[in-house]
Amino acid sequence: MAIAQAMCTSFKKELLEGVHNFKNSGGGTFKLALYAEGSGGKSSTTATLGATTTAFTTTGEVASSGTYTTGGGSLTRVDPTTSGTTGFTDFADLSFTTATITAMGALIYNSSASNKAVAVLDFTSNKTSTSGTFTIQFPTANASSAIIRIA
Amino acid sequence: MISFETGVQVHSVSVMTSDGGGHSTEQIVELAMDKIMSVSNTAPPAIRDQAEAFQNHLRDVLYHYMELARREERANIANKMSQAGNSEMAELVRRI
């Protein structure tokens, strides 16, 4: 599969190195970029993303449209917290308006740390907006569903 | 030997799209409902029924006030347009 949902392996190492800071105040700038499969990216490119992805790439990224500009949108951080023995963090939902986009997945990356990759998100099917709104909704922030968890 | 076992995990996201304009009120209500509550499939039937009844009531309330908010916002925009002398545009907005 060209886009496979995964926590990037390099991110796990970088967590131990203190590269990433998800705090609401003073944290890094995390972005979400959208990707297409089947030559649907700009310049007819196809995304290949997964656990081995180490950084943001333009290959397979969807073209700018509406409020989506290449490189993706900035995510609003939510302070990391814990529940039981699990630590987790969250982002606010992200929307791109008046956009014509077909995307199969996304990459969360840290643009304030050399665009290092965090996680690959697989939408499992093509999601399309036509002159409309494309919204990515993050799961409920709890120990079992939060977008990024350390259990 | 001291060792720790842990896992760094990523969860799936939901994607909602619209064509020829923004999200409908129904879509926005569903986005909100997903954040407010979920009912476990494994909950005892009596509790699950009560939770689902409350969920449906909450959905109806949210829909009503979301629609009201959108209508009032359009009224405010139309009013500003009308005051600025764009009465035709104001009427267009009012009729959305």
Side-chain angles (χ1 to χ4, degrees), chain A residues 56-106:
Chain A
F56 166 73
T57 174
T58 57
T59 304
E61 189 190 7
V62 303
S64 296
S65 178
T67 60
Y68 183 87
T69 53
T70 51
S74 293
L75 293 164
T76 302
R77 299 178 304 277
V78 175
D79 268 334
T81 187
T82 59
S83 176
T85 57
T86 301
F88 55 89
T89 194
D90 187 24
F91 297 110
D93 295 350
L94 182 64
S95 288
F96 303 105
T97 57
T98 56
T100 297
I101 290 172
T102 296
M104 183 72 173

Side-chain angles (χ1 to χ4, degrees), chain A residues 1-5 34-42 44-49 59-62 102-105 120-126:
Chain A
M1 187 181 285
I3 297 176
Q5 173 128 344
L34 296 172
Y35 289 87
E37 283 189 349
S39 304
K42 61 185 178 187
S44 299
T45 53
T46 296
T48 303
L49 300 169
T59 304
E61 189 190 7
V62 303
T102 296
M104 183 72 173
V120 176
L121 306 173
D122 181 2
F123 299 160
T124 68
S125 64
N126 272 322

Side-chain angles (χ1 to χ4, degrees), chain A residues 118-143:
Chain A
V118 173
V120 176
L121 306 173
D122 181 2
F123 299 160
T124 68
S125 64
N126 272 322
K127 305 295 182 187
T128 301
S129 66
T130 306
S131 300
T133 302
F134 194 106
T135 296
I136 297 97
Q137 185 186 37
F138 287 95
T140 303
N142 61 31

